[in-house]
Amino acid sequence: QVQLVESGGGLVQAGGSLRLSCAASGSIRSINSMAWYRQAPGKQRELVAHNPSGGTTTYADSVKDRFTISRDNAKNTVYLQMNSLKPEDTAVYYCNAVLRTVANLLPREYWGQGTQVTVSS
């Protein structure tokens, strides 16, 4: 079984910073990509940042130059450094991974449980 466990959410004032972490555990053979999504109340889930293995990182236009995604491959962990936070960044942030397990060579998508980020004005 694969688990994605997020941490680092919380309440912060506008202009502040937070760092989210997501650790993938289980019988992982290889990771194709890791990403962060978010979902605000009444809105659809949207991609925030995508980090493919050996590929180019991409960001939503709304977070470019403020958020940075990074990965520690040895720990199967992805981070999201969020700076200059705005009230409109308030959402539940979800970790996403596309990976292969020891038991299944076909890549599958996995999701974390979500972590709340609230930015006050």
Side-chain angles (χ1 to χ4, degrees), residues 6-109:
E6 299 134 338
S7 61
L11 173 64
V12 65
Q13 287 189 331
S17 298
L18 280 175
R19 188 191 194 211
L20 306 182
S21 300
C22 171
S25 63
S27 301
I28 298 170
R29 176 184 293 270
S30 63
I31 297 178
N32 289 21
S33 66
M34 298 190 82
W36 288 96
Y37 286 73
R38 68 185 181 187
Q39 187 166 20
K43 294 188 177 181
Q44 289 189 330
R45 190 173 297 189
E46 63 174 357
L47 177 65
V48 175
H50 182 247
N51 181 240
S53 298
T56 302
T57 296
T58 56
Y59 297 92
D61 288 342
S62 59
V63 307
K64 277 181 183 176
D65 300 323
R66 299 189 298 123
F67 290 11
T68 303
I69 188 172
S70 61
R71 208 190 322 171
D72 184 334
N73 292 324
K75 297 181 179 179
N76 289 334
T77 298
V78 64
Y79 306 96
L80 185 68
Q81 178 66 44
M82 306 184 292
N83 298 329
S84 302
L85 282 160
K86 305 175 181 180
E88 50 263 44
D89 294 318
T90 295
V92 177
Y93 283 70
Y94 296 91
C95 176
N96 170 280
V98 176
L99 55 84
R100 293 178 172 85
T101 64
V102 171
N104 191 347
L105 295 181
L106 294 177
R108 283 187 56 191
E109 188 174 48

